[in-house]
Structures are given as structure tokens and as C-alpha cells.
Amino acid sequence: MKSNNVVARYRDGRILKGSSLNIDPNRPTFHLRTEDDGVKILMLRELKALFVVKDPNGNAMFEESFDPTPGDVRLLGSITIAVHFEDGETIVGMSRSYPPVASSFFFMVPIDPKSNNIRILVNLEAVKGVDRVEVDAPPVARAVGSS
């Protein structure tokens, strides 16, 4: 099983980077193998969000777009939302699990396909507000032979 590179951002501003195999929003904890190979057990409720990333170091110079990419098939079946965190950060992305039914956590993916973030597990307790963003969904491709 492949581990996920993650960046755990705490509500108090702390950041831990590492990898994890067992991220489950329905469980209160998960294991994080840190960059120095230590293993920590993290409490989800203490986090602002958990970012599953391509590169744990990211690119500080990259400016993420808040606009959807025309024709992005990820828009199909998703709602587009702007998540406003209590620390002032806003992330625009898509979710198929918002609003969460039986949890205070939900996954979203960034609207920018070039983002270093692959998906984000958001803690609603660290959120000041969520706005739905209206976007034009890509046209649905017609099956061959359909009329």
C-alpha cells in the first residue's frame, strides 16, 4: 500500500509534515510518519485541515487559482465551495461529501488542477464559513451512437 505525503496544519498554527497510510475521517486519530522517521498519533479534531500533497515541501512561489478550468471533468458530480477558515485562509475546491452527514470532517480537492494539494480533509470546527460557488460544469460527452 502506498503512503500519502501529508501536511497536517493545526488550528493553533503548528505544521507537521510526513506520510500516512490510515487517514479516515470517521476515526479520531491517524498515524503520521514524520520526516525524521518518528511516528506520531495525531488527533483529527486538533487540526485545521490535513493536506494530502504531491510534494511535502511545496512551492512557496506558486499562486493557486480560485477559478475553475474550462472543461475540467472533476466538476461533474461535485459542488464547488469556498471554505473560509477561522485563521483567515480561504480555499476554493470541489467536494462530493459536503455537507458531511455524520461527521465534522469532509474531503475536498482544490479547484486548481496544478495545485500541490491532491485532496484536503477539512475540519468544520476550524471553519468560519462555507460558500457555494456557482460554476459552469463541462458538457457531458455523448456516448457513441446516441442521438
Side-chain angles (χ1 to χ4, degrees), residues 30-46:
F30 70 98
H31 293 88
L32 178 78
R33 179 171 298 281
T34 62
E35 294 171 320
D36 64 3
D37 279 340
V39 175
K40 298 184 182 285
I41 298 174
L42 276 60
M43 301 288 297
L44 281 177
R45 73 174 187 271
E46 294 177 356

Side-chain angles (χ1 to χ4, degrees), residues 62-126:
F62 180 74
E63 289 192 33
E64 200 141 328
S65 172
F66 282 2
D67 298 318
T69 303
D72 188 342
V73 296
R74 299 177 308 151
L75 293 167
L76 292 172
S78 297
I79 63 165
T80 304
I81 54 177
V83 177
H84 309 284
F85 289 96
E86 62 191 1
D87 66 2
E89 181 179 19
T90 295
I91 297 175
V92 177
M94 299 162 284
S95 180
R96 292 186 177 159
S97 60
Y98 182 83
V101 177
S103 172
S104 59
F105 299 93
F106 69 94
F107 278 107
M108 66 185 290
V109 296
I111 196 81
D112 188 342
K114 295 178 185 167
S115 174
N116 186 48
N117 298 312
I118 298 168
R119 63 184 173 145
I120 305 160
L121 180 60
V122 176
N123 179 357
L124 274 176
E125 292 179 12

